[in-house]
Amino acid sequence: NPLEYLTRYSGDWALYFLVLTLAVTPLRKLLQQPWLLRFRRMLGLYTFFYAALHFLMFFWFDHFFDLLEMWADVLKRPFIAVGLIAFCALVPLAISSHNGVIRRMGGKAWQRLHQLIYV
């Protein structure tokens, strides 16, 4: 089933990129390589892209944009609920990843917001 494969593939890659994004800071500290930080934002945006693609495919292919059916599926299967919560946490992180938003928010507020990724 190609649609199921694409949905699963996009979800897998969202998780892979999330793990890579989370690994940047510990690797930077362990290896003492500050240049690794340049890749963290890009990896985070790749994470969001694949998570958004995964959500869109789930919503479109599995539920044909039926919110009530999707919500019933979220309540019925806990792993889908966890994925939806994770996606909702990624949305403000992706929106606030632009330099202009970082300046407007201030560094401390931006860092507090981006600590959500560890949840």
Side-chain angles (χ1 to χ4, degrees):
N1 183 353
L3 297 178
E4 181 183 341
Y5 173 79
L6 288 173
T7 304
R8 185 174 304 260
Y9 178 80
S10 62
D12 288 347
W13 275 100
L15 284 174
Y16 299 153
F17 278 117
L18 178 61
V19 170
L20 284 172
T21 304
L22 293 173
V24 167
T25 299
L27 279 175
R28 177 188 60 91
K29 290 178 181 178
L30 182 68
L31 301 175
Q32 298 176 351
Q33 298 294 325
W35 58 270
L36 286 171
L37 284 179
R38 286 187 278 161
F39 298 106
R40 189 169 53 190
R41 183 185 307 184
M42 177 188 64
L43 289 170
L45 290 173
Y46 283 159
T47 301
F48 178 74
F49 169 75
Y50 278 102
L53 190 64
H54 180 68
F55 174 75
L56 182 63
M57 283 193 256
F58 168 75
F59 193 42
W60 185 0
F61 299 145
D62 289 351
H63 299 293
F64 302 105
F65 299 105
D66 185 352
L67 281 173
L68 293 176
E69 184 183 328
M70 186 194 79
W71 188 247
D73 206 14
V74 166
L75 295 175
K76 185 171 78 174
R77 297 190 270 179
F79 66 92
I80 294 176
V82 169
L84 183 61
I85 291 167
F87 178 69
C88 289
L90 286 174
V91 170
L93 300 179
I95 291 171
S96 66
S97 68
H98 189 272
N99 287 338
V101 175
I102 296 169
R103 275 193 306 276
R104 281 191 293 277
M105 285 183 71
K108 294 269 187 212
W110 181 84
Q111 282 181 333
R112 278 195 309 271
L113 174 66
H114 279 256
Q115 292 299 314
L116 281 176
I117 193 68
Y118 294 103
V119 173

